[in-house]
Amino acid sequence: PALELVGRMMVSNGAHAIDEDSLTICGPLIRNGFVEALYPKEARSEWVLRMPTLLWDAARGQIENHSESWFDYYKPETFPELTDLIYPHEFIERLQNIPPLLDSGKVKNLVVRSDHGSDPVEVSGTLAANLDSGLVVVDGRANSDTDHLRLLGPFCAMTRSLPALRYDLGPGESIEPPALNGYSGPVFFILGFEGGLNSRKIKSSLTINLPFPNKSLRERYWRKALNGSRIENLDSLAGMYHLSGSYIW
């Protein structure tokens, strides 16, 4: 539909004052990426508004666990309970304190640091699920110069999801976090133990470091991976090979 038609429809539904023009009414939708204007060189009243296909599917509730070339979307039920995560008891207790901080707005940015063998997506998704939210994981560096991040904020807002931007940084390297138009909730940043974020753009942040599993936790990972199968010398196996959870499971 044309910009003028959409504006008049919104006025007729009582969404705005009658004396507001169509661009004033529809402008926030365009600026925040919920719709895009085709043929922007035409007169504004003749702009044709189009909702990107991904957002149209989200609006119709047709998004299940979903992967695109640039993102992975997980529904809340994908993830386990916090108490089922294989981490030390004291670390689980710390994780349980995080969802209320995110929900209250006291923490707006959560930085999750881990080695390459850990599963920060599982931890991030479980925290998001405790807020009845899904998780959208994006390679922040690969998509920094594309239009994909313009869709991330609206998609998260429409699917009640938390964005998780993943970066693989080198020692001393820092990254400028992108602005997520159309989204005002918490943001997760998944990093290794090297590099960091530009602190001038990161406010009200909290950092957690995923701990390396000790022998007893590695045994739990092996039992999970074996799924009930019997194995001799599991104790020796867990003690001999110092592997992170994702390399076992």
Side-chain angles (χ1 to χ4, degrees), residues 31-244:
R31 288 193 298 273
N32 289 308
F34 289 92
V35 297
E36 56 189 8
L38 305 181
Y39 318 116
K41 293 184 179 180
E42 301 290 335
R44 287 178 175 176
S45 61
E46 300 300 320
W47 283 2
V48 175
L49 301 185
R50 172 185 174 274
M51 178 176 282
T53 303
L54 179 66
L55 301 185
W56 178 249
D57 289 343
R60 291 170 58 88
Q62 296 178 338
I63 298 290
E64 297 297 325
N65 286 353
H66 186 79
S67 292
E68 294 277 350
S69 60
W70 63 278
F71 83 96
D72 294 300
Y73 166 65
Y74 303 92
K75 301 186 76 172
E77 55 268 27
T78 306
F79 300 101
E81 297 292 330
L82 275 171
T83 52
D84 292 332
L85 296 175
I86 303 178
Y87 287 100
H89 178 69
E90 59 274 13
F91 183 73
I92 296 294
E93 288 184 336
R94 185 184 178 195
L95 291 180
Q96 290 173 328
N97 293 327
I98 294 177
L101 296 175
L102 296 171
D103 192 38
S104 66
K106 292 181 179 179
V107 171
K108 294 288 292 182
N109 300 280
L110 181 67
V111 180
V112 182
R113 290 186 177 272
S114 68
D115 61 27
H116 286 288
S118 298
D119 192 351
V121 171
E122 181 184 53
V123 173
S124 301
T126 302
L127 292 172
N130 272 258
L131 299 173
D132 296 321
S133 299
L135 188 75
V136 182
V137 183
V138 176
D139 186 329
R141 171 166 284 171
N143 291 284
S144 60
D145 296 324
T146 70
D147 292 332
H148 292 147
L149 288 183
R150 180 172 171 79
L151 294 175
L152 180 58
F155 182 80
C156 287
M158 295 174 71
T159 58
R160 189 178 172 84
S161 301
L162 275 58
L165 297 168
R166 197 165 197 163
Y167 295 96
D168 187 8
L169 304 177
E173 188 179 5
S174 63
I175 199 75
E176 188 84 12
L180 299 181
N181 293 332
Y183 175 80
S184 59
V187 179
F188 290 175
F189 295 94
I190 298 176
L191 308 177
F193 289 116
E194 304 287 352
L197 302 170
N198 188 329
S199 60
R200 291 176 298 177
K201 293 292 186 70
I202 297 295
K203 307 296 183 183
S204 304
S205 65
L206 175 67
T207 297
I208 57 173
N209 299 318
L210 302 191
F212 187 83
N214 58 23
K215 180 182 174 182
S216 64
L217 293 177
R218 292 196 296 273
E219 276 195 42
R220 288 179 60 189
Y221 275 117
W222 279 110
R223 294 186 189 281
K224 182 178 179 181
L226 292 168
N227 193 28
S229 300
R230 294 180 61 84
I231 183 173
E232 295 183 3
N233 301 321
L234 180 58
D235 180 76
S236 298
L237 181 66
M240 184 181 305
Y241 298 102
H242 291 218
L243 301 173
S244 295

